[in-house]
Amino acid sequence: MPSGDGWQGDVLRDLRGGGAQGAPGPGGQAYRASAPGRALPAQGTQAPDAAPDGGAPRQAAYPYEGQQHAGRPGDWPRQAGYQEQRQEQQAPAAYAPGPQPQSGPGSRPVLKGGPADALRSKPRHGESFAARAARALRRTLSSSAASEVAEITRTAAALQQPVTTGRQIAVTSIRGGSGKSTVAALLGTTYAHYRQDPVLFLEADPALGSLPLRLGAESLRWTTSDIADIVKPDMSLLDVTGYLVQLPNNAWLLPASQGQIGVMLDSRSYERAVVALRRYFGVMVIDCETLPTEVARVALAAAHGRVLTAPATPEGVTSTFAVLQWMQGLPRQVIAGTVVVLTELVAHSGVDLDEAAQRLRSTGASVQVLPYDRHLAAGGRVRTELLAHPTREAAARLAADVFQLSLAQKRH
């Protein structure tokens, strides 16, 4: 798959199962069809789009249930013709399971006994019914609807900018429990929703990371360290995705472990995996280990955009400020391409967020706030239709901010 302006056309062609060589792409440019892919390794489960009886494929489920069409206040906008383009990208035959590799690892469930959602009775909405009703009333009685639509349009335009090379977005923190995997899940889900090119969630935190749980994956097989020795330059996108966990909206997950303690991921394996995979995906969201581990430092140095999550507490702000001061001694593009996300872990943290953000911005980094959300706080799979309205807006702003900074990076 060649790099350059035509790489997205080849990606879409791979997803449709190939096509005639030299078919015209967007703008009249001729894209060369990729070579036919080899049979995919079995994932241990049936292909998501295949019918149980081998008949007609099922339509991929739209993960934003409960939302209305784009252009209405509070909704996530979608490009014109988005649904039709999604349907064209379905390639049921290409995703049929192939023969299982003799030396391949076995599939393991993310949580024994069923998905993580089985541990709680019913997912909670991110905000109370009273808050949702009050917002609907304000929208009806005021002119805020027009401003919301304008803001949504600007955010969509920023997120849908074309890229000539895949963008790497690294998410890390300086301590556990700061919402790192949650922010990575929100970022990747936002990119997958807005963009047409494939999105990869790559987990570089083998210490029992929670990203697969947050994304709703039920079973895992191949890991980041495995892929480092498997993916070859002559492989097509369909070959590569056979080793990944497929998610809704043209997104895939590569976990760092199978939920086992003791699995290691060294920086050299991480680098080989990223180099092998980055040309296949428009955006890679990398859930890193906490700083100052070696893999996290390597990921931050090589990424186009960097996200540093910090709890919205006095200790979290102070520690993050110290890290940003250290980053000021690195090349200028490192801190200029960094976004700090202050995550509110409780409903009323008692921290002056404006003062905290101003202090952190004085180092040269950007700052965004992820407000408290009951749905996120409960853990488990992130269901976008249950997120509070302020959370959806904050996730879209964060994704747009990081993506803009990644485009400004000239190293890659």
Side-chain angles (χ1 to χ4, degrees):
M1 182 178 297
S3 60
D5 293 339
W7 77 278
Q8 292 178 345
D10 280 318
V11 167
L12 297 179
R13 186 173 305 284
D14 282 340
L15 288 173
R16 291 193 292 264
Q21 184 169 350
Q29 182 179 358
Y31 292 138
R32 183 182 61 190
S34 300
R38 67 195 68 173
L40 300 183
Q43 286 285 350
T45 57
Q46 191 174 20
D49 293 334
D53 58 355
R58 297 193 298 265
Q59 178 79 20
Y62 178 47
Y64 298 90
E65 293 90 347
Q67 296 188 29
Q68 301 171 350
H69 191 272
R72 300 181 183 177
D75 298 332
W76 297 62
R78 307 181 69 83
Q79 287 180 301
Y82 183 95
Q83 201 69 20
E84 291 75 12
Q85 294 175 15
R86 284 288 184 207
Q87 294 173 359
E88 291 177 3
Q89 292 176 10
Q90 302 298 323
Y95 289 102
Q100 182 174 355
Q102 295 181 357
S103 60
S107 178
R108 289 177 176 267
V110 174
L111 192 68
K112 293 182 179 180
D117 289 339
L119 294 180
R120 53 181 180 175
S121 57
K122 184 178 180 181
R124 301 181 68 190
H125 198 285
E127 56 186 343
S128 64
F129 176 80
R132 284 176 279 161
R135 178 174 293 105
L137 182 60
R138 288 196 302 269
R139 185 181 298 129
T140 302
L141 300 179
S142 68
S143 58
S144 61
S147 61
E148 286 184 14
V149 171
E151 179 64 24
I152 289 173
T153 303
R154 286 192 297 269
T155 301
L159 288 170
Q160 293 167 354
Q161 294 181 78
V163 296
T164 56
T165 57
R167 302 287 93 180
Q168 301 172 41
I169 310 297
V171 184
T172 188
S173 64
I174 60 174
R175 62 178 63 184
S178 64
K180 175 175 62 69
S181 295
T182 299
V183 170
L186 290 174
L187 276 175
T189 302
T190 303
Y191 292 131
H193 177 79
Y194 278 92
R195 300 186 60 80
Q196 294 292 317
D197 41 23
V199 173
L200 175 65
F201 294 88
L202 190 148
E203 190 180 35
D205 185 0
L208 300 180
S210 60
L211 184 61
L213 289 172
R214 282 309 217 179
L215 294 175
E218 296 188 9
S219 62
L220 307 174
R221 188 178 181 191
W222 302 92
T223 66
T224 303
S225 56
D226 296 330
I227 291 296
D229 298 320
I230 291 176
V231 176
K232 305 299 180 184
D234 62 339
M235 295 175 68
S236 70
L237 175 65
L238 295 180
D239 294 325
V240 172
T241 54
Y243 297 95
L244 309 177
V245 179
Q246 189 170 15
L247 302 171
N249 268 14
N250 204 17
W252 282 267
L253 164 67
L254 179 60
S257 70
Q258 293 184 331
Q260 296 174 311
I261 298 176
V263 176
M264 299 300 294
L265 175 65
D266 58 77
S267 59
R268 298 186 66 180
S269 297
Y270 168 80
E271 288 177 329
R272 293 203 311 274
V274 170
V275 169
L277 292 170
R278 64 185 178 184
R279 68 190 184 97
Y280 296 97
F281 299 92
V283 180
M284 293 174 58
V285 177
I286 304 166
D287 184 6
C288 303
E289 294 179 286
T290 57
L291 289 171
T293 58
E294 182 182 5
V295 173
R297 289 187 282 111
V298 170
L300 289 179
H304 301 94
R306 303 159 192 86
V307 177
L308 183 62
T309 63
T313 61
E315 297 83 0
V317 173
T318 302
S319 301
T320 303
F321 182 74
V323 172
L324 294 176
Q325 287 182 313
W326 167 76
M327 294 175 65
Q328 286 180 314
L330 303 176
R332 172 62 185 168
Q333 66 267 17
V334 175
I335 196 165
T338 298
V339 179
V340 177
V341 180
L342 290 175
T343 57
E344 289 191 285
L345 305 179
V346 295
H348 304 287
S349 62
V351 175
D352 188 337
L353 294 178
D354 292 334
E355 176 64 26
Q358 182 178 356
R359 182 181 183 188
L360 296 174
R361 289 192 185 102
S362 65
T363 62
S366 298
V367 180
Q368 297 283 350
V369 176
L370 183 65
Y372 173 76
D373 187 290
R374 297 190 310 178
H375 176 63
L376 294 179
R381 176 188 171 189
V382 175
R383 299 179 180 271
T384 53
E385 72 276 9
L386 294 181
L387 293 175
H389 182 76
T391 304
R392 294 200 299 267
E393 289 184 327
R397 285 195 303 268
L398 171 62
D401 191 5
V402 177
F403 192 70
Q404 290 281 66
L405 292 176
S406 74
L407 294 177
Q409 298 291 304
K410 299 180 179 180
R411 288 186 57 201
H412 304 270

